[in-house]
Amino acid sequence: MKVLYNFDAVTDRKNTNSMKWDKSNKLFGSDDLINMWVADMDFPCPELVVKAVKERAEYPVYGYSFPPESLYDVIVERLDRVYGWKIKKEWIVFTAGVVNGLYSAVGAFTNPGDEVVVQPPVYYPFFNAVKDNGCQILYNPLAFDGQRYAMDLDNLEELFKTVTTFPARVPRIKMLILCSPHNPVGRVWSKEELAALGEICLKNNCMLISDEIHSELLVGDVQHTVTATISPELEQQTITFLSASKTFNLAGLATSFAVIPNDYWRGEFIKSRAGHNSGNLFGFAALEAAFRHGDEYLRQLLVYLKDNIKFFTGYIESNISGLKVIKPEGTYLVWVDMRKLDMNALELQNFIRCKARLALDDGYAFGPGGEGFQRFNLACPRIVLRAALERLEQAVAAIKVTNIPLNP
Ligand SMILES: Cc1ncc(COP(=O)(O)O)c(C=O)c1O
């Protein structure tokens, strides 16, 4: 019998140690906000995932564990089925989350002072992974024509030409961290865009770290291309990070994996991980169940998310002038251009928190190009989304009518 998932049902996440719902007082200054920030979903995960975790929990010894063979098999099968990527089991390396893996990758393959390219506005922990490893961030900002974002590959070529000075002839750009699909702007990079990027990286011997955590959350009429599938050369030059955590809402289980086809790099990466820093037994059980049994959940989830995005966009277009929604092709995160409200970063932050009473992600945190934008997480029941939009509408209307000062 087919399960019909009810994404309209509100699941109360308060008092569950939820980052999104239980930290908002501390981080945003109020308990009375509608929380649409950190990228997890307010929906339960698939019931067969819950069953798998419960079954493992029933057996009361939680000692040191390793991923079962069946988990490797299901990953190999899924990457082939979903992306046409034929990988070998031994290329898979588990990590305790993608950010954790990014830190390991930067740590393993750079020396302090090396430069790492990122393409802002982008998921801000990329910056920390670079800086906390003693490296320097080199920005290749996305190009934006007011409607759509693209990678600025001409500028990237220039960066490689110009920043290879000290010591003489030693390239200091070691790697580029790619967000694909791109959080927060929602682009799903086309095969052609990825091929052009890959060519530049190959030409300049630049390692490509491809964070593809959102790759199954496709909400536009697009396909996701795994960067490493572009060519065998690029496959050898790329470390791909994947997870079931966004797709099936499992982030709290801190289990994801890297696919590293290059044997030498895989060895170095494994050495760089601290101790048993590689996922956990509940995470393994959940990941396997999600990949094995999650297809129908995902199908219904994508229908719901697309409807949420349509509702959100339509509401803003009809009722809130001055805001522009950048329609995502992937992820459940929506990037909204609020520059017409004519507020500086702090004013916009105060306005969103204190007047609209929403907890969102401030655009400026995503680096250059993010100022004047806000990121909304639409993975919530529509009733919550509607309430948030009504708050926003009233707050924007109040500025226009009364011209009240924006700072509380
Ligand atoms: C692009 C991207 N990478 C990584 C993460 C976090 O992954 P993890 O929780 O596995 O560290 C997120 C979460 O929002 C993300 O958007």
Side-chain angles (χ1 to χ4, degrees):
M1 197 185 65
K2 244 188 191 168
V3 179
L4 188 62
Y5 292 97
N6 182 6
F7 296 109
D8 274 328
V10 175
T11 305
D12 186 3
R13 298 184 64 195
K14 284 204 169 148
N15 304 313
T16 64
N17 285 2
S18 151
M19 187 81 88
K20 193 192 274 170
W21 288 94
D22 292 327
K23 284 266 184 189
S24 64
N25 195 6
K26 187 154 182 236
L27 299 175
F28 294 86
S30 169
D31 265 336
D32 174 41
L33 305 178
I34 297 180
N35 290 290
M36 303 177 80
W37 61 288
V38 64
D40 67 13
M41 305 199 283
D42 291 336
F43 309 130
C45 68
E47 55 185 10
L48 286 172
V49 172
V50 179
K51 184 165 174 268
V53 172
K54 274 187 179 164
E55 270 172 18
R56 183 58 191 84
E58 288 293 337
Y59 192 78
V61 184
Y62 306 147
Y64 295 118
S65 311
F66 59 90
E69 275 305 298
S70 52
L71 177 54
Y72 288 93
D73 292 340
V74 83
I75 291 174
V76 170
E77 184 276 326
R78 192 171 187 89
L79 298 194
D80 188 11
R81 176 162 57 86
V82 178
Y83 312 108
W85 191 18
K86 295 196 186 324
I87 66 161
K88 295 191 177 141
K89 260 186 209 189
E90 56 268 25
W91 295 355
I92 300 169
V93 184
F94 288 91
T95 61
V98 166
V99 170
N100 182 292
L102 291 173
Y103 268 78
S104 298
V106 179
F109 301 108
T110 61
N111 294 312
D114 284 342
E115 283 156 338
V116 176
V117 179
V118 295
Q119 308 194 94
V122 74
Y123 180 58
Y124 40 81
F126 286 9
F127 310 145
N128 302 336
V130 175
K131 284 189 291 192
D132 293 349
N133 276 296
C135 295
Q136 299 184 54
I137 299 171
L138 199 56
Y139 291 123
N140 181 45
L142 297 179
F144 182 49
D145 66 5
Q147 307 282 337
R148 189 172 162 82
Y149 284 86
M151 288 190 265
D152 190 344
L153 298 179
D154 292 339
N155 189 58
L156 182 63
E157 295 233 58
E158 286 306 311
L159 291 179
F160 280 110
K161 276 188 207 149
T162 51
V163 194
T164 56
T165 47
F166 181 80
R169 288 186 301 281
V170 177
R172 295 183 70 193
I173 301 180
K174 282 286 171 63
M175 59 171 60
L176 180 145
I177 308 180
L178 174 70
C179 197
S180 179
H182 193 105
N183 168 10
V185 308
R187 275 300 316 278
V188 174
W189 305 116
S190 69
K191 198 169 178 178
E192 291 69 32
E193 288 171 300
L194 292 169
L197 174 76
E199 208 178 299
I200 297 173
C201 289
L202 283 170
K203 195 166 79 189
N204 292 287
N205 199 20
C206 172
M207 191 170 194
L208 230 171
I209 305 294
S210 196
D211 176 345
E212 305 194 17
I213 194 169
H214 294 280
S215 58
E216 295 208 50
L217 292 167
L218 303 178
V219 292
D221 192 13
V222 286
Q223 278 197 331
H224 177 79
T225 302
V226 170
T227 312
T229 60
I230 298 280
S231 69
E233 294 74 30
L234 199 55
E235 188 173 76
Q236 285 294 310
Q237 187 85 5
T238 304
I239 293 183
T240 307
F241 286 100
L242 287 160
S243 180
S245 60
K246 298 291 165 203
T247 322
F248 299 103
N249 209 22
L250 310 176
L253 292 169
T255 300
S256 60
F257 59 96
V259 182
I260 314 181
N262 182 306
D263 294 336
Y264 175 71
W265 285 1
R266 193 166 59 253
E268 292 300 301
F269 181 84
I270 289 169
K271 273 195 263 170
S272 77
R273 292 177 317 164
H276 294 278
N277 185 7
S278 57
N280 68 79
L281 59 93
F282 297 115
F284 298 142
L287 171 57
E288 181 167 348
F291 274 7
R292 222 175 259 296
H293 307 295
D295 286 355
E296 181 54 25
Y297 173 94
L298 176 56
R299 197 189 61 74
Q300 293 181 34
L301 172 70
L302 290 178
V303 170
Y304 196 84
L305 291 176
K306 284 180 198 174
D307 283 349
N308 261 5
I309 292 166
K310 201 166 152 198
F311 175 72
F312 180 80
T313 310
Y315 193 102
I316 290 187
E317 283 172 3
S318 315
N319 304 301
I320 314 182
S321 59
L323 306 192
K324 180 161 180 45
V325 177
I326 310 303
K327 258 186 140 180
E329 295 167 328
T331 82
Y332 45 68
L333 307 165
V334 181
W335 189 234
V336 180
D337 187 348
M338 301 199 179
R339 289 175 297 174
K340 285 211 173 129
L341 295 182
D342 207 19
M343 298 180 195
N344 68 31
L346 197 63
E347 285 169 344
L348 184 58
Q349 182 178 73
N350 284 332
F351 171 73
I352 291 295
R353 294 179 189 183
C354 304
K355 304 294 180 201
R357 290 177 297 121
L358 302 176
L360 308 177
D361 281 277
D362 292 309
Y364 70 81
F366 296 85
E371 309 82 0
F373 289 75
Q374 292 281 322
R375 191 193 74 175
F376 289 73
N377 177 344
L378 300 201
C380 60
R382 197 140 321 132
I383 193 171
V384 176
L385 183 55
R386 176 184 282 282
L389 284 163
E390 284 167 1
R391 285 186 179 192
L392 186 61
E393 182 185 359
Q394 280 167 19
V396 173
I399 317 174
K400 290 179 183 151
V401 172
T402 60
N403 225 6
I404 45 166
L406 295 166
N407 288 319

